[in-house]
């Protein structure tokens, strides 16, 4: 009887994926996971205690814990779903062993999250319906957060199981739009009124253009290299079991590092923004306002507020309002329609916010009963000032727009902040996720896009373009898809090199790309309706 020896699984490329399980690594993994959860719990307790808030019931903390776990689960899935793209090139060029590559990528994802600005985080949040953001601590607010996160996780897991490099960013955007449309329909409005379509279009353009940029620029970079860099080794396919020359290996590890870091700095922020919404909804006293701002911020805020008031008061001259100005400002943000009542309503709200800040002297002194209201008023004014310049008949000069922009930045500094501990736990979730389940996507990217094995130059070109594109998007506060950029970049190098592209894989990737938005919308909208009746 013949026997079959147990050997590591070897792909046609010579890459060995199957290795003995190192139980020490498993122990370290779960130890880091437990430490991260304990770290998050401690910081929530510390922040709530420092804010001097009244103790909340056990149900509130249970709801907070479940919501945070779901948000971190999204980032964990994002880690092994999206970051697999960053390691595919170093694995298939034998620059790093698979287990080393994923740990290396996970570490730099971690650093990328820690150094992120938060611009992408709040760009994502601004897509959500304004009335749900203002009532994020309500039943509808929690239904929104749970629906969009669970829908995104379901679709990401489904595409990962099939080995399809679909986009987590694309999925999350679809989930947000689905919740917005469902919320509008449930309130008896047109479904199109439930989403900030200007912001959605801005995000959508970035998601649509980025794979085109990846395809064209990676292909162009390869052709430039072939024209000016006459080193034959750079354009050869890796030989099974052999590592590339040292300088080529260093280049490929550098590009993998850059893509991993850029992915962390961009994708990691999406979970941050949603976690901040969860914290604001459950324990607003500690997280609704940036209590760490120095006293000097108040003086600067009052100065900017006074300058903005003069601009808005001049536009509101001759008009008066009676009653609460907030519904009119909320409707303006939602509908983007400027009527005679908007400027006087906005003027009244700006004065109200200014009076609140002056009376307390410092954001840390705002009473716990008023924190949520003050934060909502600041958010309303900020969003109205973001919307005003986009309205054609706004009657604002460039100088007036600049004055309002400066005031908006003061408002955002007070309300749009991310504590260091939130960055750390998101970084841990994304980094740990990178080390789990990466193989399916790596095989697709490394073997099933081109008809031939990728060369060193092709891998480097695709990753250099991906790194630069993601970093540029991060600076502009736009979410982009690492998956789309890198997979299209590899396809671009295959086309430019005349290597040929596997039509079936490209068709499947394109199908996943086309289906992601409508499926995520349908999933999240359906879940929102269900959760709205449960909570």
């Amino acid at each position: 009887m013949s026997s079959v020896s147990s050997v590591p699984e070897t792909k046609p490329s010579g890459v060995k994926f199957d290795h003995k399980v190192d139980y020490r690594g498993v122990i370290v993994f779960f130890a880091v996971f437990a430490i991260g959860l304990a770290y998050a719990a401690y910081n929530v307790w510390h922040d709530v205690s420092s804010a001097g808030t009244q103790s909340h019931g056990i149900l509130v903390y249970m709801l907070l814990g479940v919501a945070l776990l779901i948000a971190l689960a999204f980032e964990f899935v994002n880690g092994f779903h999206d970051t697999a793209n960053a390691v595919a090139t170093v694995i298939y060029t034998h620059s790093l062993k698979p287990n080393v590559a994923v740990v290396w990528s996970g570490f730099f994802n971690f650093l990328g999250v820690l150094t992120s600005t938060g611009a992408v985080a709040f760009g994502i949040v601004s897509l959500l319906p304004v009335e749900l953001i203002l009532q994020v601590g309500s039943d509808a607010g929690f239904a929104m957060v749970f629906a969009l996160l669970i829908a995104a996780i379901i679709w990401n897991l489904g595409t990962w199981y099939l080995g399809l490099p679909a986009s987590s960013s694309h999925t999350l955007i679809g989930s947000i739009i689905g919740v917005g449309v469902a919320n509008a329909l449930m309130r008896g409005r047109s479904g199109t009124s439930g989403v900030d379509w200007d912001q959605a279009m801005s995000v959508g353009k970035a998601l649509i253009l980025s794979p085109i940029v990846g395809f064209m620029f990676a292909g162009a970079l390869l052709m430039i290299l072939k024209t000016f860099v006459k080193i034959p080794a750079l354009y050869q396919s890796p030989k099974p079991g052999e590592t590339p020359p040292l300088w080529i290996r260093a280049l490929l590890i550098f590009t993998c590092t850059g893509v991993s870091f850029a992915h962390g700095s961009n994708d990691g922020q999406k979970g941050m923004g949603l976690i901040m919404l969860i914290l604001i909804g459950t324990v607003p006293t500690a997280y609704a306002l940036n209590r760490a701002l120095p006293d000097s911020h108040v003086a600067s805020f009052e100065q900017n507020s006074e300058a903005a008031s003069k601009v808005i008061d001049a536009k509101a001259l001759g008009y008066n309002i009676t009653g609460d100005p907030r519904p009119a400002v909320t409707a303006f943000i939602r509908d983007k329609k400027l009527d005679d009542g908007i400027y006087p309503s906005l003027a009244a709200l700006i004065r109200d916010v200014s009076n609140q800040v002056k009376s307390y002297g410092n954001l840390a002194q705002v009473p716990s009963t008023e924190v949520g209201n003050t934060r909502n008023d600041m958010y309303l004014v900020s969003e109205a000032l973001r919307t005003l310049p986009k309205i054609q008949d706004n009657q604002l000069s460039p100088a007036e727009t600049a004055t309002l922009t400066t005031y908006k930045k003061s408002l955002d500094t007070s309300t749009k902040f991310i504590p260091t501990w939130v960055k750390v736990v998101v970084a841990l979730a994304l980094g740990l996720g990178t080390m789990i389940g990466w193989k399916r996507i790596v095989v697709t990217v490394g073997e099933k896009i081109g008809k031939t094995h990728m060369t060193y130059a092709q891998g480097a070109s695709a990753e250099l373009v991906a790194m630069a594109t993601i970093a540029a998007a991060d600076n502009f506060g736009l979410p982009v898809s690492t998956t789309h950029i890198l997979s299209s970049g590899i396809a671009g190098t295959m086309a430019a090199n005349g290597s040929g592209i596997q039509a079936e894989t490209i068709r499947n990737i394109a199908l996943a790309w086309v289906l992601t938005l409508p499926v995520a919308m349908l999933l999240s909208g359906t879940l929102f309706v269900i959760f709205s009746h449960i909570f």
Side-chain angles (χ1 to χ4, degrees), residues 70 73-74 77-78 80-82 146-176 440-441 481 483-484 507-525 527:
I70 293 174
F74 169 77
V77 173
N78 188 8
F80 69 70
H81 186 274
D82 277 21
F146 283 135
L148 66 90
L149 282 173
I150 293 174
I153 290 172
I154 290 172
W155 182 248
N156 278 347
L157 286 175
T159 53
W160 163 81
Y161 181 78
L162 296 173
L164 296 175
S167 165
S168 293
S169 303
H170 202 171
T171 305
L172 186 60
I173 301 302
S175 296
I176 289 173
R440 291 176 182 271
I441 305 298
S481 168
T483 303
H484 289 164
R507 184 173 63 249
N508 289 340
I509 292 175
L511 184 62
W513 189 86
V514 170
L515 289 178
T516 291
L517 197 64
V519 171
M521 288 173 61
L522 182 61
L523 278 173
S524 64
L527 288 173

Side-chain angles (χ1 to χ4, degrees), residues 441-465:
I441 305 298
V442 164
V443 170
T444 298
V445 173
E447 295 185 7
K448 298 181 179 180
I449 292 179
K451 290 184 177 180
T452 62
H453 197 292
M454 76 173 73
T455 65
Y456 303 124
Q458 286 174 315
S461 298
E463 290 217 316
L464 280 171
V465 169

Side-chain angles (χ1 to χ4, degrees), residues 23-342:
Y23 290 102
R24 292 172 300 177
V26 174
I27 292 171
V28 170
F29 178 91
F30 282 105
V32 172
F33 177 77
I35 290 170
L37 291 181
Y39 177 69
Y42 168 77
N43 276 279
V44 170
W45 172 82
H46 178 270
D47 292 345
V48 172
S49 300
S50 300
T53 186
Q54 298 175 349
S55 60
H56 296 277
I58 188 67
L59 183 61
V60 171
Y61 288 110
M62 287 178 62
L63 193 61
L64 171 61
V66 172
L68 287 178
L69 281 174
I70 293 174
L72 292 175
F74 169 77
E75 286 299 341
F76 183 84
V77 173
N78 188 8
F80 69 70
H81 186 274
D82 277 21
T83 314
N85 295 276
V87 299
T89 53
V90 290
I91 290 174
Y92 274 88
T93 56
H94 309 305
S95 299
L96 288 175
K97 292 181 179 179
N99 56 342
V100 175
V102 294
V103 173
W104 180 269
S105 179
F107 176 71
F108 282 96
N109 262 279
F110 179 89
L111 292 183
V113 176
L114 289 185
T115 57
S116 59
T117 62
V120 173
F122 295 109
I124 290 287
V125 169
S126 64
L127 286 171
L128 294 166
V130 63
E131 60 264 27
L132 291 183
I133 293 178
L134 297 177
Q135 301 171 17
V136 70
S138 66
D139 294 345
F142 278 104
M144 168 190 73
V145 172
F146 283 135
L148 66 90
L149 282 173
I150 293 174
I153 290 172
I154 290 172
W155 182 248
N156 278 347
L157 286 175
T159 53
W160 163 81
Y161 181 78
L162 296 173
L164 296 175
S167 165
S168 293
S169 303
H170 202 171
T171 305
L172 186 60
I173 301 302
S175 296
I176 289 173
I177 293 175
V179 167
V181 170
N183 177 67
L185 293 173
M186 289 176 67
R187 292 171 181 264
R189 302 196 308 266
S190 165
T192 57
S193 67
V195 179
D196 184 343
W197 291 107
D198 289 337
Q199 181 70 5
M201 287 297 294
S202 177
V203 170
K205 287 177 183 177
L207 287 172
I208 291 171
L209 290 176
S210 55
I212 298 174
V213 168
F215 184 92
M216 296 181 64
F217 279 67
L221 179 57
L222 178 66
M223 298 306 294
I224 291 171
L225 285 175
K226 293 180 75 172
T227 302
F228 295 101
V229 182
K230 304 295 184 180
I231 303 176
L234 191 60
Y235 309 104
Q236 294 176 357
S237 298
K239 296 178 181 178
E242 292 186 15
T243 57
L246 182 61
W247 71 272
I248 295 178
R249 189 179 186 189
L251 173 63
L252 290 164
I253 292 174
F254 167 74
T255 58
C256 167
T257 303
V259 172
S260 299
F261 183 87
H263 176 268
S265 69
N266 192 280
D267 274 47
Q269 294 189 53
K270 294 150 193 172
M272 289 182 205
L274 296 172
I275 286 176
M276 288 309 299
L277 277 183
I278 293 166
L279 291 170
I280 291 167
T282 50
V283 280
T285 306
Y287 299 106
L289 296 174
N290 191 351
R291 304 172 65 86
L293 289 175
D295 292 341
S296 58
H297 172 75
V298 175
S300 173
F301 179 86
E302 290 178 359
Q303 182 180 358
N304 294 334
S305 177
E306 184 177 350
S309 289
K310 290 180 180 179
V311 172
I312 300 299
D313 285 341
K315 305 301 178 185
L317 195 63
Y319 297 94
N320 292 307
I321 64 162
T322 57
D324 187 358
R326 293 167 185 80
V329 177
T330 302
F332 167 66
I333 296 169
R334 183 186 66 232
D335 301 331
K336 311 292 186 299
K337 294 179 180 178
L338 184 62
D339 57 38
D340 293 341
I342 298 303

Side-chain angles (χ1 to χ4, degrees), residues 350-374:
I350 290 174
R351 286 193 296 270
D352 195 7
V353 169
S354 179
N355 291 336
Q356 291 179 58
V357 175
K358 285 180 181 178
S359 64
Y360 302 133
N362 189 301
L363 294 182
Q365 303 303 318
V366 178
S368 59
T369 55
E370 297 298 324
V371 165
N373 293 332
T374 301

